[in-house]
Amino acid sequence: QVQVAESGGGLVQAGGSLRLSCTASGFSDLTFDDYAMGWFRQAPGKEREGVSWISWSGTYTYYSDSVKGRFTISRNNAENTVYLEMNNVKPEDTGMYYCAADWVGGLWSGSKFYKTWGRGTQVTVSS
């Protein structure tokens, strides 16, 4: 059973940068590069929303409109890790950020299409 764990969250001032990491483990017959990966976030009182998605090889990426041009998703398959580089952050980027794996197809930003989730890492942006 594949597992993922996020790290890199913290407190950052508006306009600053932060890099989140998600490391996967527990592979059996599949390897990390068999998994498309996603990043989601959830602010207090709001629904979980898709932030970004990256394909198995890293060739294809998607972003929500709210982060496009500011966030960059990437992956290092040799290290079983996917990253979310967050630049020019805004207070509305505050929330718990989750890594999601084992995308089964469908809308990339739909949380129901992922089978594996991390526990999240908190990002707080101060104004």
Side-chain angles (χ1 to χ4, degrees):
Q1 180 84 16
V2 64
Q3 298 177 336
V4 295
E6 306 91 340
S7 62
L11 175 64
V12 60
Q13 287 189 332
S17 298
L18 208 59
R19 188 175 81 156
L20 306 184
S21 299
C22 169
T23 301
S25 61
F27 303 102
S28 54
D29 54 337
L30 299 177
T31 58
F32 182 66
D33 58 5
D34 289 316
Y35 293 88
M37 305 289 292
W39 281 101
F40 287 73
R41 67 186 181 188
Q42 188 167 18
K46 294 188 176 181
E47 291 187 357
R48 191 170 297 189
E49 65 168 340
V51 174
S52 187
W53 177 95
I54 189 166
S55 64
W56 302 259
S57 64
T59 302
Y60 302 102
T61 58
Y62 292 108
Y63 299 92
S64 66
D65 288 342
S66 61
V67 307
K68 198 174 297 182
R70 300 187 297 119
F71 290 12
T72 303
I73 191 170
S74 63
R75 66 190 295 161
N76 184 330
N77 286 344
E79 297 184 354
N80 295 343
T81 302
V82 62
Y83 303 97
L84 186 68
E85 186 76 34
M86 306 167 61
N87 296 315
N88 189 25
V89 295
K90 304 175 181 180
E92 51 264 42
D93 294 322
T94 293
M96 186 69 78
Y97 282 69
Y98 297 93
C99 177
D102 207 0
W103 177 67
V104 298
L107 190 63
W108 72 266
S109 58
S111 59
K112 66 181 180 180
F113 298 118
Y114 296 80
K115 296 167 63 176
T116 300
W117 292 84
R119 294 186 176 184
T121 185
Q122 177 68 38
V123 172
T124 303
V125 182
S126 62
S127 57

